[in-house]
Amino acid sequence: MTDVPPLKDFVTDCEAANHLADLWRLSVRFFESRGIAMVSYHSDIEVENGEIGMVGNSGILQSGYPEEWVCQYIEGKLSYLDPMPELAAKIGRPFYWSDINDLANLSDGQQRYMALRAASDLGDGLAMQVYGPNARNALVCLGFGAGTPRLTAEAIFELQCAAQMAHLRYCAISGEQDRAKVDLSPRELEVLRWIARGKSNSVIAEILGISRHTVDTMTRRMFDKLGVNDRTTAAVRGLGSGLLQLRRKQVV
């Protein structure tokens, strides 16, 4: 590593970035300068001008991961088994991938996921939660590749600061788009809330005492305002923009 930019230069570059794709490239370059071989960012990220390391349509960006593992992650829908997002949100501090079994009681599915990770020889790394406005949080994973170093507390804190700064800049860049598309009527917001709770349009119609056709119409109109094409992304965008809140794991 001949070129190791100081953290303050990365912060300055983040503040100057106006496009999400540029921000992603800056972030990957910074982490690579610290010896990080693999970077992934788990959020409702949208990158204009093409996909930059997008893992299918999962809302995950990645750089440096083996192509075989990325394909397995997509095709096997492993994001549903991955324990890292939930664990990072729960403990609120960076942790090593190799410590997951000691930090959480994994379900059978999560244990299968960890076995698949081990078989893919990804090595060790760090996972950390980053925080944004209106509970717009995300997960950042930093893989070491070959070797299993144990970083100093100062080195981990620097990586955490860089990840947090990049996430806040992402929230700022994408904020204008979100604010422009969240002007929902009270009824549309009510439909969105029930969608986020996993209810079908027919069930929502029964709950609200209106026709299924009316719910379908409001759902299409709401999708247009949010700039999404499916129910899951609508729920994620609703949470990310502050339209919906999570209280005790219940959408309100």
Side-chain angles (χ1 to χ4, degrees), residues 184-185 187-188 214-227:
L184 303 184
S185 70
R187 203 56 147 174
E188 290 168 348
T214 299
V215 175
D216 290 344
T217 300
M218 286 193 294
T219 299
R220 288 193 297 269
R221 190 164 58 229
M222 179 182 58
F223 281 7
D224 288 340
K225 290 181 178 181
L226 292 171

Side-chain angles (χ1 to χ4, degrees), residues 142-199:
L142 306 173
F144 303 141
T148 55
R150 286 276 161 165
L151 304 180
T152 65
E154 291 79 6
I156 293 175
F157 183 66
E158 183 188 50
L159 294 173
Q160 187 179 14
C161 288
Q164 180 64 57
M165 175 55 63
H167 176 64
L168 287 174
R169 187 58 188 153
Y170 153 63
C171 292
I173 293 173
S174 59
E176 288 300 321
Q177 175 179 320
D178 288 334
R179 285 191 290 271
K181 295 179 179 178
V182 296
D183 185 21
L184 303 184
S185 70
R187 203 56 147 174
E188 290 168 348
L189 181 58
E190 199 169 8
V191 170
L192 176 60
R193 187 174 293 113
W194 285 113
I195 286 176
R197 293 179 180 179
K199 304 300 184 182

Side-chain angles (χ1 to χ4, degrees), residues 41-44 85 89 129-139 164 167-168 170-171 174 178 235-252:
Y41 176 76
H42 306 239
S43 182
D44 61 341
Q129 179 89 335
V130 288
Y131 303 91
N134 295 316
R136 196 169 192 178
N137 305 332
L139 170 72
Q164 180 64 57
H167 176 64
L168 287 174
Y170 153 63
C171 292
S174 59
D178 288 334
V236 170
R237 179 60 56 81
L239 288 167
S241 63
L243 285 168
L244 305 176
Q245 300 291 330
L246 277 177
R247 295 178 185 170
R248 297 180 180 178
K249 297 186 179 181
Q250 179 69 51
V251 177
V252 297

